[in-house]
Amino acid sequence: MTTSSTSNDFVTPNQDTRITHGSQVVLHFEVSLENGTVIDSTFNRPEPVSLTIGDESLLPGFESVLNNLRAGDTRTAHLEPDQAFGEWNKDNVQTFSRTQFALSEPNPEVGMMMEFEDKGKNTLPGVISKVTDEEVEVDFNHPLAGQSVLFKVQVFKVTPPGQTGIQLM
């Protein structure tokens, strides 16, 4: 008995391969505020970016937008703060004495971003939010915490989990 090969023997990226956990994806994306301010975009780059769904290179809320998309799809999604960079948390704002800054930054200014080290020796970025003669207030929230964002994506290629590529006819 002989079998013949048909176009149904292979999955082509533009037909049936949908994004799932572990998929390798080639795409362009853009994150913007509701007022249109672009925060990050790959659309102006000559090549799209490649990533693996579930490898933590994207926040879970962004990955959820990608689920079930396929090559050729474009989508724009509105993400609430809890789906994007989190809610703003007043407990993430800390006050330090001005003398604590004297060695590392003698002239702290509002808006200045600095790196701090936590007890576990991890580096944390913080933005100076208030400066007085005695104290410096630092906000450790993500700069986009508490803000809704728009996430736009254009998918070029989807490789199923566990495969290194897709054979095309």
Side-chain angles (χ1 to χ4, degrees):
M1 178 164 116
T2 57
T3 60
S4 63
S5 179
T6 67
S7 62
N8 293 332
D9 292 337
F10 301 103
V11 176
T12 61
N14 291 321
Q15 291 177 348
D16 297 321
T17 307
R18 296 197 176 264
I19 297 174
T20 61
H21 186 82
S23 295
Q24 295 174 7
V25 183
V26 178
L27 54 79
H28 272 306
F29 73 89
E30 178 179 282
V31 178
S32 61
L33 299 178
E34 291 180 309
N35 68 8
T37 302
V38 175
I39 302 303
D40 192 9
S41 179
T42 64
F43 283 95
N44 58 353
R45 296 182 189 171
E47 297 293 323
V49 296
S50 299
L51 57 93
T52 301
I53 301 300
D55 71 356
E56 299 183 3
S57 59
L58 286 179
L59 293 170
F62 294 105
E63 284 191 356
S64 70
V65 172
L66 298 172
N67 282 330
N68 213 30
L69 295 181
R70 59 186 175 194
D73 286 348
T74 300
R75 177 171 292 166
T76 300
H78 176 269
L79 298 175
E80 294 295 328
D82 63 324
Q83 300 168 308
F85 298 97
E87 298 289 348
W88 189 84
N89 182 346
K90 66 178 175 68
D91 293 335
N92 290 340
V93 177
Q94 297 186 18
T95 303
F96 301 92
S97 71
R98 186 76 183 253
T99 57
Q100 286 178 288
F101 277 78
L103 294 176
S104 61
E105 182 55 55
N107 299 309
E109 296 179 18
V110 172
M112 184 181 288
M113 183 177 275
M114 296 183 66
E115 288 188 353
F116 296 83
E117 193 174 273
D118 67 10
K119 292 177 185 175
K121 303 289 184 195
N122 298 307
T123 302
L124 298 172
V127 177
I128 297 175
S129 54
K130 183 178 178 183
V131 178
T132 68
D133 290 339
E134 291 82 30
E135 297 178 328
V136 177
E137 184 179 86
V138 180
D139 187 345
F140 289 100
N141 285 289
H142 187 282
L144 297 175
Q147 297 194 50
S148 297
V149 298
L150 296 176
F151 179 59
K152 178 180 177 182
V153 63
Q154 181 179 12
V155 181
F156 294 99
K157 181 178 177 185
V158 179
T159 303
Q163 293 189 6
T164 56
I166 298 174
Q167 185 172 1
L168 301 176
M169 298 280 300

